[in-house]
Amino acid sequence: MLISKIHKVLAIAARVPGNRQRFLDAGLLETKTGQLVEHWREKFPNLQPIDKAEIRNSPGLFLANASDVVYRGTTSGSRGQVLTYFAGEEWNRLRVAARMRSLRWWGIDDSIPIVNVASRLQPIRSVDVTLAGEIDEGFLTRLLEVLSVRPAVVRGYPSRLCEVASRLYGKSLPTVLGVIVTGEGWFEFQKSLLERVFDAPFIDEYGCQETGISGLTCPEANRLHLDSDRCLYEVIDGQLVTTDLYNFTMPMVRYCCGDVVELEETPCSCGRKGLTATVCGRVEDTIETSRGRVFSGNVKLPPFPGILNYQVIRRETSIDLILKEVVEKWSDRNLEPLDNWIRHTFGNLEIRYFGKPPSPPEVPPREVLSEKDWISQLTSGSWGDLFDRSLPQGNIAAAAKLLKQAIDPSIISGSGISEATRNLAIAVSQTPTTGNPDIDRTIGRILLFANTVLGGDELLCDRAVEILREAEGDRFSDPTQFDLYLLSLYQKTEKLQSILDYRPCQIDRFNIHHSLYGFEGAIATARNRNSPLTKSLNPLLAIFIADLNFFASRFHTAILASWRELIWNREIWEISRITDADSFLTAWLHLRRAFWKNRKTPEILEAALTKLRETAKTPQEQAKAILETGYVNLLLEKQLDSEFWLTTAMQQSQNLDRTLEKGEFDPLPWSPILRNIAQGFLNGGKPELAYQCLLASAPPSSRVSAFERLAKHCNRKQSPIFEIRDR
Amino acid sequence: MVLRSWTRAIGLVFATLFSFLGLKSANAQVEDFVKSSNESDAPRIVQNCYFPGEYARVSTRNTDLNVRQTPGGRIVGSIPRGWEVLVRETDRSGRWVFVTSHYGSGSVYFGSAPNFNEGWVSADYLTFLGSYCDKPSMGGRPMNNKGMSPKPFYFMESQLETQVEPQRFSVYEDWTNLGDRISKSLDD
Ligand SMILES: [Zn+2]
């Protein structure tokens, strides 16, 4: 069984140009045919392992398939070396299953949330959440709030968890069911601190995503069990070398992940089969000690009384000791055992003690905008700038906070829905109106926005409409009408349809930001309804965003209706009723109707396309018509010429979007096309272009964006022991 | 003796410690389609983050920021206002930091910062922006309004047979930035 799996992945890997030379050198390939030799099993041990740096140099050369790309991952960038890799459907399914299986050893089933803390770890299941960002009082409060909702498991980099734990030391905590450390090696004092503070079992999770390596300690014997079903493990020169048995998209054969491990020779007493191992650390992380140079993971770093969290830096002639957190009742005598231990471990070097590093200087607070200015910037200024400032005071304050929380959540949840945001939205909706039309109108719109982010809530929506009616009267303004109708993309709100009349519509910046979130909800709806368009025009979200970008300055409410039809696959209006759309827009509306209504009828689609091309006057319209031609080809499942389409995309990108700077390419509108042509490049012997097309076609996501923003400050791993050669 | 002196030291001493650790965050990367005749050294991802340090923006009012050989020492260069620099080290007082460019030291010449040199500058004139490596993964459009470094993410010239200008691209753009970018067309 294992042999046939290895054979399968080797046969695929053998065809990948990046592997060719080393496979030849090992005698694994028939020189004439390039096929795997019959006695490949004898030759396999000759195969030179490969490391991340080599793959990263030209990742495309390792791509075997550009069609089955379900999973795209980015490796953790040790020393900044990041590799984006791709994997297929089966790989992803098995990955999730293996994880579930080992978590169950600890009684962690799908109902128990895993709370990722202060680490660059995304929520994996829908019950999971991530708290990231600076570890300040607000952070600790949020963490305790999350943990008190129901018993959960805490997970993170050990160094980061310790930073949190040392701040919580001595406080009473809600029940924690386990502490999972991952991402970096852990040390004795860390385990001791985490067990004490969280009063929960200590679980070690080991993984190296790109290789399919995963492992978890068992509760009975606390040994690290490597998941041997998905991966072939070997140890060569002390380093872990693996062959991923299920990645047929970008096969990793004899991949050296840079971790030094020792495999246990005896089976684990817990009775589980498979390999168990001890991880000693990264191969490059060594440190000079009195017993010679060792892997830093082999230095024990024991707990010392009075010292909660510390860090050891080995310099050439001294040891720097950072006491990151000590107990409140501190006495210098606490240093004695530590001092002795250092001398014992490193010999007679000068020891320099350091306190907590000061927090970075605070950025001076920016000017707070008045209510009026805030509202004005909300509809006609930059949101990036607006939400970089403190929120306004006054009647708008609560709604402003709600909006900020909706776009910049402090907790990322796996389900995408934040309870805190929901509660705040309900509170805002229950506040009486102010009587000031500008403020009330803004509050109403923010409630609609929250409704979108929360995935649709009838009551919230009704209240928002009520507030807006009060502020605007019976005839809604253009922006309000847009906001209201946007809801119908993802929510069943037949009653909204009656308020829409088809006319040109001047939208504002609030509308644009709102749309991005609305589109995500709309695409999710389409996917749930199994709309065929989500498969043939993938990512459909990119197309909606591109449409918005194109039509924003000349918007017409009929475009909303057209989007709605794509999502719901249902005719909801008569195009002939529109008299005040320009000829290009009319042609475009007809084409888009054919997208879902006549998607199998080439004649109708092509006729509509011809009409669109004829009406395209400006370079921008012409570029849009070309783009739509690409979409139509995708619908008709035509083979796209890779060379032609990549060149076209690059040439037309600037025409399509005149706000782009020179030399800048926006892959978004073209991403369904780029995704499609990747395989063509691969077949045509241009694997690097295939790889780049896959990279560029990444589906956009508000959640990834929110996570990145939150994690950017405080997600770093920090080994508690390392060496610096002085400058 | 150490025991007596350390309490005093604790308030004073601070070094930039986090630079060389097993720092493994995903980071922005440059996608580059480089024209090449030889496939094996053709397109590759150029890493933006070989230096996992803090970075900061020069925030002097009008003048350039002086660069000194040692903390408070001889002036060896200057950096214009608004430039982003990498912080390599902080002196014991915490008032002076050693900065360098994204491209490392030495041989780099910047047209718009002809006096650029690595060295010590006063921390008072820097706005710290976080870790250089913690920029959004997968590229991500530089988030100017969030203080992210607007480094170019270069894109593609290529194995393409057709001649096209090299173009940079990014993916996983910040969502708010994306909205602001689309909004630009409303100003026309
Ligand atoms: Zn076991």
Side-chain angles (χ1 to χ4, degrees), chain A residues 136 188 198 263 267 372 400 494 565 646 656:
Chain A
D136 51 16
E188 287 298 329
F198 292 111
L263 294 179
K372 190 165 165 274
E494 300 298 339
E565 288 191 345
L646 183 56
L656 193 61

Side-chain angles (χ1 to χ4, degrees), chain A residues 57 74 82 332 335 352 354-355 383-384 643 650 663-665 686 689 692 705 708-709 712 722, chain B residues 2-3 6 10 13 21 27 33 44 54 92 134 137-138 141 155-156 161 167-168 172 174-175 180:
Chain A
N57 277 342
T74 307
V82 173
D332 278 8
L335 285 179
R352 305 189 298 174
F354 293 81
W383 278 32
E643 187 83 24
M650 288 169 67
E664 198 177 7
F665 170 67
K686 292 174 176 176
L689 281 178
Q692 303 280 18
S705 161
E708 292 297 349
R709 228 181 291 158
K712 87 173 183 232
F722 60 97
Chain B
V2 170
L3 293 195
W6 93 267
I10 212 162
V13 183
L21 318 194
N27 70 296
F33 282 79
R44 63 206 157 98
E54 298 280 330
R92 292 178 168 225
D134 294 345
S137 64
M138 308 284 300
R141 186 171 292 269
F155 187 41
M156 72 208 230
E161 281 141 26
Q167 293 181 8
R168 60 181 186 269
Y172 287 144
D174 176 81
W175 211 243
D180 277 345

Side-chain angles (χ1 to χ4, degrees), chain A residues 413-437:
Chain A
S413 114
S415 65
I417 298 206
S418 147
E419 280 311 308
T421 307
R422 186 187 297 282
N423 293 339
L424 191 53
I426 292 169
V428 171
S429 74
Q430 287 165 350
T431 315
T433 48
T434 66
N436 175 328

Side-chain angles (χ1 to χ4, degrees), chain A residues 9-307:
Chain A
V9 77
L10 279 185
I12 292 167
R15 296 199 296 266
V16 167
N19 282 327
R20 193 174 161 75
Q21 197 54 50
R22 71 179 178 128
F23 272 54
L24 273 175
D25 292 347
L28 273 168
L29 298 186
E30 301 279 4
T31 29
K32 279 186 196 136
T33 61
Q35 300 289 309
L36 213 54
V37 295
E38 202 188 329
H39 301 291
W40 61 270
R41 288 173 68 179
E42 292 154 33
K43 307 289 186 190
F44 184 69
N46 302 336
L47 185 66
Q48 189 67 34
I50 191 165
D51 63 11
K52 184 158 90 184
E54 257 173 283
I55 296 182
R56 222 189 32 178
N57 277 342
S58 32
L61 302 186
F62 294 86
L63 199 61
N65 179 323
S67 309
D68 181 22
V69 175
V70 165
Y71 187 89
R72 45 180 84 221
T74 307
T75 64
S76 53
S78 169
R79 281 144 186 88
Q81 298 150 349
V82 173
L83 166 69
T84 298
Y85 61 97
F86 303 106
E89 195 277 325
E90 191 179 11
W91 183 91
N92 194 39
R93 194 161 37 78
L94 291 168
R95 174 185 77 102
V96 175
R99 199 183 140 75
M100 254 163 65
R101 199 168 50 233
S102 52
L103 285 174
R104 255 187 241 121
W105 303 342
W106 293 89
I108 305 169
D109 62 27
D110 275 354
S111 70
I112 298 176
I114 293 179
V115 180
N116 298 298
V117 178
S119 309
R120 199 190 175 80
L121 299 167
Q122 296 234 30
I124 298 173
R125 308 164 307 161
S126 66
V127 289
D128 298 344
V129 297
T130 291
L131 271 87
E134 203 163 329
I135 303 168
D136 51 16
E137 286 306 314
F139 181 95
L140 298 175
T141 309
R142 283 195 293 277
L143 174 61
L144 294 182
E145 270 169 20
V146 167
L147 292 177
S148 58
V149 175
R150 55 179 152 158
V153 172
V154 162
R155 175 173 179 253
Y157 306 151
S159 59
R160 283 289 160 187
L161 284 177
C162 280
E163 203 168 313
V164 172
S166 57
R167 303 273 301 266
L168 294 172
Y169 186 81
K171 292 195 177 122
S172 87
L173 260 61
T175 308
V176 172
L177 299 173
V179 178
I180 302 178
V181 295
T182 188
E184 51 180 15
W186 54 270
F187 295 83
E188 287 298 329
F189 82 88
Q190 295 179 318
K191 179 167 187 269
S192 150
L193 176 70
L194 293 173
E195 282 176 338
R196 243 166 104 181
V197 170
F198 292 111
D199 190 22
F202 183 87
I203 308 167
D204 181 10
E205 177 187 328
Y206 175 63
C208 181
Q209 276 282 353
E210 74 269 29
T211 59
I213 298 174
S214 70
L216 204 72
T217 47
C218 66
E220 296 83 0
N222 260 307
R223 275 211 205 169
L224 179 66
H225 288 257
L226 298 173
D227 171 40
S228 322
D229 294 348
R230 292 187 300 143
C231 223
L232 171 73
Y233 292 88
E234 299 171 87
V235 174
I236 299 172
D237 296 333
Q239 289 191 53
L240 188 59
V241 172
T242 58
T243 299
D244 189 326
L245 300 173
Y246 290 97
N247 193 343
F248 311 122
T249 302
M250 205 165 162
M252 303 281 179
V253 173
R254 277 206 147 191
Y255 178 96
C256 187
C257 67
D259 284 332
V260 178
V261 302
E262 283 163 11
L263 294 179
E264 312 283 355
E265 281 163 10
T266 55
C268 184
S269 59
C270 72
R272 290 184 185 91
K273 281 186 281 184
L275 296 169
T276 55
T278 306
V279 182
C280 309
R282 305 280 311 161
V283 63
E284 64 272 15
D285 290 343
T286 62
I287 194 154
E288 192 67 35
T289 67
S290 49
R291 47 188 179 111
R293 189 158 277 281
V294 300
F295 291 107
S296 53
N298 285 339
V299 183
K300 282 287 172 263
L301 299 190
F304 294 100
I307 300 167

Side-chain angles (χ1 to χ4, degrees), chain A residues 447-512:
Chain A
L447 282 174
L448 289 179
F449 194 107
N451 172 70
T452 299
V453 173
L454 293 170
D457 180 314
E458 198 84 8
L459 286 175
L460 214 56
C461 199
D462 288 350
R463 174 65 184 146
V465 174
E466 215 175 280
I467 295 174
L468 288 163
R469 278 212 195 284
E470 214 178 301
E472 294 194 347
D474 278 343
R475 194 183 148 82
F476 288 124
S477 65
D478 282 7
T480 299
Q481 190 164 82
F482 182 102
D483 285 334
L484 282 169
Y485 202 75
L486 187 67
L487 265 55
S488 69
L489 294 190
Y490 59 88
Q491 209 167 344
K492 274 202 169 148
T493 46
E494 300 298 339
K495 56 184 165 187
L496 282 177
Q497 204 172 325
S498 59
I499 61 166
L500 188 85
D501 50 17
Y502 298 104
R503 59 184 166 88
C505 171
Q506 209 161 47
I507 64 173
D508 65 12
R509 286 176 178 239
F510 186 98
N511 289 138
I512 287 175

